[in-house]
Amino acid sequence: MWRKASAAALLALAVGYFYHGGPVLPEQILQYISLPNFQTSSQNSHNSLEQVISAAWETLIILPTRQWSKVAVGVNACVDVVVSGVGLLQALAVDPGSGLDHEVLHSKEDLKEAFIHYMERGAAAERFFSDSEAFQRIARAAAEYPGAKLYVGGNAALIGQRLATYPDLMVLLCGPVGPKLHEMLDEQIVVPPESLQETDEYHLILEYKAGEQWGSSQAPQANRFIFSHDVSNGEMSSLETFVASLDEFEPDLVVLSGLHMMEGQGRELWEERLKEAVLAISEIRKDIPIHLELASMTDKDYMNSIMQEVMPIVSSIGLNEQELLFLSQAGEGPHADMDSWKGIPDVGQVSDILFWILEQHGRSEPLSESDLTRIHFHTLAYHILVTVDGYWGNQAAAVMAGARVASSQACGLQAVDVSKVQLKAPLEFYSSHTEPREKLSLNPTEPVTVWHRGNITFHMTAVLVCKQPLRTVGLGDAISAEGLMYSELKTQQPF
């Protein structure tokens, strides 16, 4: 009798957790019960939601019928020096203090304030350091700091590295490739001779862990702050070489990144260089889809220029929550009055902004001259792939593949280890922040929630968040690369 009463109480408690949006049921409950739709009958009742989702991914993630055979990637590439942010700043004899954002860094003091500003928010950011000599001194200190590690860096090079894990795929990489970077690149990656240069470009990655403290500041989650004095990438000097190489390489897909690097060069340069970039991109054959990978920016005019001039001539974009909100702020879109996200970004608000981008700057109408039909959004707890109907296939598998690689790579593993990850995504959410809206839920056995707004379709999946991430740099690039590998372009709707 008491066993039945206990089971009923546990079931009631579990249902309460589910309907009040609790992201993870306590293990004690999961050991006793099995909720409908959470586990299949063949699974043991002690399986966690993480186990159910991971198992579902392995079953449901399948490559498309038509796969890319050649992908060209450009144009930012560098060597990343990864160090403890707090440790390096202490080694530079910088005292902790209050945070303050800076669009461009001019000194160690600016660096400290910007680092603290983003560390307190657990947010990623990237900034240009204007003083070449001061940057070189900091770079030397970073390279000599105990535990400093050198990695392939730059969005294009990182995307190329991820794509090169597929043995049947040819990858072309254009960018400023110095001897150290060339040595570290996968053998499968082809670098045109015009892209090789005598010296490497270095970027400094200041990492911090969840809960890490410095003075009165504490990081709510693990992340990183990136800065550099990188003129080659800053001017996108390899762009014309990249576009010129496409005729001979004949890719099925072009992946473009590095536009954010121009922001630190000043308005006069980026205005002129962006016009040249638009002309160069426009020369790419219309039947080749182009994916644009965005990154952290602070100049609203520059972001607005990218939105108006570049987005309509690409087929797909990839971005995170900071970039999404800043894009809306720059273009006065939905929820532009928010300063920042509070915790996990609200799915309905994210959905509103993604819908607005495709309606205003994408090909949501047949007569539109825009080529933009796909957006891959990623944040720590979940990902959303949104597409205009009729242009892309296999997007459920693509969004799950992106989430799976985020879960494994953050933990430094080749596959998901369910003991090292946790579910943080909401189990219930709304399709929009405004009416009319649909109440939706996440089913772990089929972990892709799909909804529609007009002729635009949303695919959302949870991420199994690594509890103790080993490296956060390059996750967004791996997510976008993996999502593209599992995406299929529908040929009956030419761009």
Side-chain angles (χ1 to χ4, degrees):
M1 187 75 167
W2 65 269
R3 288 194 177 193
K4 288 183 181 178
S6 297
L10 285 167
L11 180 60
L13 181 57
V15 172
Y17 258 79
F18 175 70
Y19 284 107
H20 287 87
V24 182
L25 297 177
E27 287 186 8
Q28 296 95 320
I29 295 174
L30 287 166
Q31 288 172 357
Y32 285 92
I33 65 166
S34 175
L35 287 177
N37 297 325
F38 273 45
Q39 296 156 338
T40 60
S41 58
S42 63
Q43 289 166 323
N44 294 327
S45 60
H46 64 264
N47 280 358
S48 67
L49 296 188
E50 288 84 0
Q51 285 174 304
V52 177
I53 289 171
S54 181
W57 282 347
E58 296 311 310
T59 303
L60 298 172
I61 297 175
I62 53 171
L63 283 162
T65 308
R66 291 173 60 252
Q67 299 173 40
W68 318 109
S69 60
K70 292 181 177 181
V71 180
V73 188
V75 292
N76 61 327
C78 63
V79 175
D80 281 344
V81 182
V82 182
V83 294
S84 159
V86 172
L88 177 63
L89 289 166
Q90 288 175 332
L92 293 170
V94 176
D95 294 323
S98 56
L100 180 65
D101 195 10
H102 295 273
E103 291 189 6
V104 176
L105 309 179
H106 302 288
S107 64
K108 284 194 298 185
E109 193 67 19
D110 286 358
L111 170 62
K112 175 197 77 173
E113 290 175 349
F115 174 79
I116 290 172
H117 175 83
Y118 285 98
M119 176 183 168
E120 289 177 338
R121 289 157 177 78
E126 187 164 349
R127 295 291 180 267
F128 181 77
F129 199 103
S130 64
D131 188 326
S132 175
E133 290 184 12
F135 177 77
Q136 294 303 329
R137 288 194 295 271
I138 296 169
R140 279 195 296 272
E144 294 167 3
Y145 187 80
K149 294 174 183 172
L150 301 187
Y151 294 100
V152 171
N155 307 85
L158 286 164
I159 290 171
Q161 286 285 88
R162 183 66 206 174
L163 294 173
T165 61
Y166 290 84
D168 297 330
L169 184 67
M170 284 186 65
V171 180
L172 175 83
L173 172 65
C174 280
V177 178
K180 185 64 182 175
L181 177 58
H182 201 200
E183 175 191 314
M184 293 192 292
L185 287 174
D186 191 285
E187 292 179 0
Q188 200 171 316
I189 294 176
V190 178
V191 181
E194 300 84 358
S195 284
L196 298 173
Q197 58 182 42
E198 293 181 2
T199 57
D200 285 281
E201 298 287 358
Y202 286 92
H203 287 205
L204 303 191
I205 319 291
L206 307 191
E207 292 197 318
Y208 51 84
K209 298 174 182 176
E212 186 168 2
Q213 284 189 286
W214 190 36
S216 60
S217 303
Q218 184 172 18
Q221 64 189 34
N223 221 316
R224 76 285 187 278
F225 183 85
I226 305 175
F227 69 104
S228 66
H229 178 84
D230 182 344
V231 178
S232 295
N233 285 305
E235 294 177 351
M236 290 189 80
S237 56
S238 301
L239 182 60
E240 283 76 10
T241 300
F242 178 51
V243 173
S245 68
L246 300 181
D247 286 339
E248 185 179 346
F249 186 67
E250 297 183 328
D252 309 312
L253 171 68
V254 168
V255 181
L256 179 66
S257 63
L259 285 173
H260 64 286
M261 296 295 299
M262 291 201 290
E263 183 184 55
Q265 304 297 309
R267 186 183 186 104
E268 190 175 336
L269 185 143
W270 68 246
E271 273 189 338
E272 186 61 33
R273 192 70 182 110
L274 193 62
K275 290 175 187 174
E276 295 168 353
V278 168
L279 283 173
I281 297 164
S282 299
E283 291 175 10
I284 298 172
R285 277 189 7 227
K286 286 293 180 187
D287 60 332
I288 302 174
I290 303 168
H291 173 84
L292 172 66
E293 191 67 15
L294 294 175
S296 177
M297 286 179 262
T298 60
D299 187 323
K300 287 184 180 179
D301 289 341
Y302 184 53
M303 177 61 103
N304 201 44
S305 294
I306 290 173
M307 189 162 43
Q308 301 288 343
E309 299 171 40
V310 183
M311 284 189 190
I313 59 172
V314 302
S315 323
S316 168
I317 60 173
L319 75 176
N320 68 16
E321 73 275 14
Q322 272 96 32
E323 294 140 20
L324 183 78
L325 181 57
F326 188 64
L327 203 155
S328 187
Q329 291 168 342
E332 298 181 352
H335 315 298
D337 55 339
M338 289 197 307
D339 291 329
S340 62
W341 301 105
K342 303 295 186 288
I344 296 171
D346 178 78
V347 175
Q349 290 176 319
V350 167
S351 174
D352 291 340
I353 302 174
L354 292 170
F355 182 72
W356 167 76
I357 295 169
L358 285 180
E359 271 223 316
Q360 295 295 314
H361 304 284
R363 194 172 185 149
S364 61
E365 296 295 331
L367 296 178
S368 169
E369 294 184 0
S370 173
D371 288 333
L372 182 63
T373 51
R374 177 183 184 273
I375 305 174
H376 193 165
F377 167 81
H378 50 88
T379 186
L380 183 73
Y382 64 86
H383 297 170
I384 297 176
L385 240 173
V386 53
T387 52
V388 177
D389 294 346
Y391 292 93
W392 297 89
N394 210 44
Q395 295 304 277
V399 74
M400 286 188 286
R404 181 175 64 179
V405 79
S407 299
S408 59
Q409 187 167 308
C411 287
L413 302 170
Q414 295 298 313
V416 178
D417 182 341
V418 293
S419 69
K420 296 183 177 180
V421 295
Q422 58 186 326
L423 183 65
K424 289 191 172 183
L427 292 175
E428 288 190 337
F429 47 89
Y430 288 95
S431 61
S432 171
H433 196 64
T434 56
E435 300 295 344
R437 60 182 185 169
E438 185 182 357
K439 191 173 186 179
L440 302 164
S441 61
L442 174 70
N443 175 3
T445 59
E446 296 178 10
V448 177
T449 305
V450 182
W451 68 96
H452 307 272
R453 296 175 72 169
N455 64 337
I456 293 171
T457 300
F458 296 75
H459 291 84
M460 182 262 203
T461 194
V463 176
L464 300 179
V465 181
C466 186
K467 295 174 185 175
Q468 295 182 312
L470 297 179
R471 188 164 181 251
T472 59
V473 177
L475 271 187
D477 303 308
I479 290 162
S480 287
E482 200 78 349
L484 288 167
M485 279 305 300
Y486 282 84
S487 291
E488 183 173 1
L489 186 67
K490 294 187 178 180
T491 52
Q492 71 269 26
Q493 294 268 16
F495 285 94

